[in-house]
Amino acid sequence: MKALVVCNVYSALLVALQVKRYYMPDDQVDIILTDYSNDMDRIAKNLQETGLFHRVYFAPVKKVYAGGNIFHKIRKTLLVLEREETFLERFGLPNLEYDRFIFTNYDIPTCQIYLYLSKKGQTKYSRIEEGYSTYTNENDFTILDKIMTVICALKGIPKLRDVTREIYLYEPTLMQVHCPYEKKKLPKYSKDSKEDKELLNRVFGYDNEADEFEKYKIIIFEESFVQDKMDPINDYEVFNEMIEAIGPENFILKTHPRNDILRFTNIAVNKSRMPWEIIQINGNFEDKIFLTVSSAAALASKLWFDDRVKTIFLYDCVNRHPHMVDKNYLNYFKTINEMKHPEDWIVPQSVEEAIREMENL
């Protein structure tokens, strides 16, 4: 079988690696990495050198598909109508001769590929998770969904949602939204697996980033609120109040892979684009405190590893919940926390309470 995978973010690539290793070891699989996450061009080169995938394509397409005001969103959504040749040139692909297409969500490039493949005959469609949004958010592309409904009706073809048959997940039981697909469970990476570590370190170019983080007591996990132009979240002010109270020498910031803006100059900052899962599989953080509003990276200790790390979530301390912190997220969070050692996760109701918790740990 000849398959194509598209990954925009590191978390999706981590999943794609496991799908290829455990479900498609003998299939010819090509993969596209886009520039929605920084350093994907370097990672694409590293991944090609492993020989795990048949071909690895790097596509710098973020400027074409990135969000904007409502008029820009409508204009970019209409890209689903563009010629196949234009799409192939943008992504550097010679053709779309594939028997299987594996994707994360129903974004514009995914819908484009589906419309092109639908003209060529039978193709199998599969989804992979890309972090907690897969478990908690059913549809982030409402305008596109409406346009695709019309296009598919005019073409006399089913919608991609209706022909997708399966989804690959690490924890199928955590799904909080309607999921009509067959759920296929993925093996997790292990700190005890030399093969896992060697593959991840080679693909992502690990360079002992864990060493710097291990020098500090409190690790702040920044999120992409500013970069993604979400409703203003006062995380900067909240973190700084805590830094002033506890002492800046105790803190180091893990920047978000999509953030290009350096906001913190009063504490140590690690600007590495290394996914946190790669850092944590190589390090020991059980005597540290993780501090975040709602970062998926901070969930890794329980979701991926058996590390017991005190983790403080501040979504009730900022001026408003981030848009992803809804009822589904809270149920997802609660379910994970109850899996093991619920006392390790703390959700303070105020900045003052968070400071007291850190002082007592």
Side-chain angles (χ1 to χ4, degrees):
M1 179 174 286
K2 188 176 180 183
L4 176 68
V5 186
V6 178
C7 296
N8 295 319
V9 295
Y10 300 150
S11 55
L13 175 54
L14 288 167
V15 177
L17 290 170
Q18 295 296 75
V19 172
K20 178 65 176 76
R21 294 168 72 195
Y22 291 98
Y23 281 93
M24 308 178 70
D26 300 319
D27 292 335
Q28 181 176 305
V29 183
D30 294 345
I31 187 169
I32 299 172
L33 306 183
T34 72
D35 61 338
Y36 276 84
S37 291
N38 292 306
D39 291 345
M40 277 293 209
D41 52 343
R42 174 183 58 80
I43 291 170
K45 293 177 182 177
N46 294 343
L47 182 57
Q48 183 70 71
E49 290 172 359
T50 67
L52 185 63
F53 289 87
H54 177 245
R55 287 196 179 91
V56 180
Y57 298 96
F58 170 67
V61 298
K62 183 170 70 172
K63 288 185 178 180
V64 177
Y65 295 104
N69 59 39
I70 186 64
F71 301 104
H72 180 69
K73 288 180 179 179
I74 293 173
R75 183 183 64 80
K76 70 172 186 177
T77 299
L78 293 176
L79 288 171
V80 296
L81 299 173
E82 74 179 352
R83 296 168 61 248
E84 181 177 342
E85 291 75 16
T86 303
F87 176 90
L88 292 174
E89 182 178 354
R90 180 181 303 127
F91 280 79
L93 298 171
N95 56 59
L96 282 172
E97 301 296 332
Y98 295 100
D99 308 303
R100 188 174 181 187
F101 177 40
I102 302 171
F103 59 95
T104 55
N105 54 47
Y106 301 98
D107 58 14
I108 297 170
T110 294
C111 290
Q112 287 181 278
I113 293 173
Y114 170 62
L115 291 176
Y116 304 142
L117 289 175
S118 68
K119 299 182 296 184
K120 303 177 187 297
Q122 294 295 319
T123 303
K124 182 178 180 180
Y125 299 97
S126 308
R127 283 188 67 188
I128 56 176
E129 72 158 90
E130 63 166 356
Y132 70 70
S133 64
T134 304
Y135 295 85
T136 63
N137 188 16
E138 194 164 0
N139 181 20
D140 238 358
F141 303 92
T142 52
I143 296 175
L144 175 60
D145 190 56
K146 292 175 181 177
I147 291 176
M148 284 296 294
T149 298
V150 174
I151 292 174
C152 290
L154 292 174
K155 289 180 173 289
I157 60 174
K159 294 175 65 174
L160 177 55
R161 294 177 185 277
D162 297 330
V163 293
T164 302
R165 294 290 176 254
E166 61 195 6
I167 183 168
Y168 293 92
L169 304 160
Y170 288 116
E171 292 287 353
T173 59
L174 293 177
M175 186 63 71
Q176 302 295 319
V177 295
H178 177 63
C179 182
Y181 323 118
E182 178 186 358
K183 301 179 186 71
K184 295 197 170 184
K185 186 174 175 60
L186 286 167
K188 298 179 182 180
Y189 295 99
S190 170
K191 283 192 168 188
D192 297 325
S193 170
K194 181 180 178 182
E195 182 181 354
D196 282 357
K197 282 187 179 181
E198 287 180 349
L199 174 64
L200 294 177
N201 290 350
R202 183 177 179 186
V203 170
F204 289 94
Y206 178 74
D207 188 25
N208 298 315
E209 282 84 355
D211 293 353
E212 182 179 10
F213 288 101
E214 289 175 346
K215 297 175 184 176
Y216 296 86
K217 179 65 178 177
I218 303 170
I219 301 170
I220 296 176
F221 291 87
E222 186 183 35
E223 292 167 78
S224 59
F225 305 135
V226 175
Q227 187 72 24
D228 294 343
K229 297 180 174 60
M230 297 179 182
D231 292 338
I233 303 290
N234 67 334
D235 62 325
Y236 176 79
E237 291 77 12
V238 168
F239 284 134
N240 269 319
E241 188 172 343
M242 296 178 180
I243 291 166
E244 184 176 344
I246 303 296
E249 68 278 3
N250 295 294
F251 291 82
I252 184 170
L253 177 79
K254 172 69 173 71
T255 58
H256 191 278
R258 292 200 302 277
N259 277 1
D260 296 319
I261 302 169
L262 178 60
R263 299 186 295 162
F264 293 85
T265 57
N266 55 339
I267 59 172
V269 176
N270 185 291
K271 301 177 185 177
S272 168
R273 305 301 188 183
M274 189 65 55
W276 180 255
E277 293 83 355
I278 314 304
I279 295 172
Q280 189 157 352
I281 202 174
N282 286 283
N284 182 0
F285 301 96
E286 292 197 346
D287 61 340
K288 309 302 180 187
I289 300 171
F290 290 173
L291 186 64
T292 186
V293 175
S294 56
S295 171
L299 306 176
S301 297
K302 288 194 182 189
L303 269 180
W304 288 52
F305 311 113
D306 289 325
D307 295 354
R308 295 199 59 185
V309 183
K310 291 293 184 181
T311 306
I312 300 176
F313 294 87
L314 301 172
Y315 53 76
D316 282 338
C317 298
V318 292
N319 58 326
R320 59 167 60 86
H321 277 183
H323 81 286
M324 292 296 290
V325 180
D326 56 11
K327 179 181 177 182
N328 289 333
Y329 172 91
L330 295 174
N331 288 336
Y332 171 81
F333 179 97
K334 179 182 178 182
T335 307
I336 298 171
N337 195 27
E338 291 175 348
M339 285 180 174
K340 58 182 109 171
H341 307 300
E343 65 275 13
D344 289 346
W345 284 7
I346 302 166
V347 184
Q349 299 302 297
S350 67
V351 174
E352 293 75 19
E353 182 185 348
I355 291 171
R356 288 196 298 272
E357 291 285 358
M358 283 187 286
E359 289 174 337
N360 292 332
L361 293 175

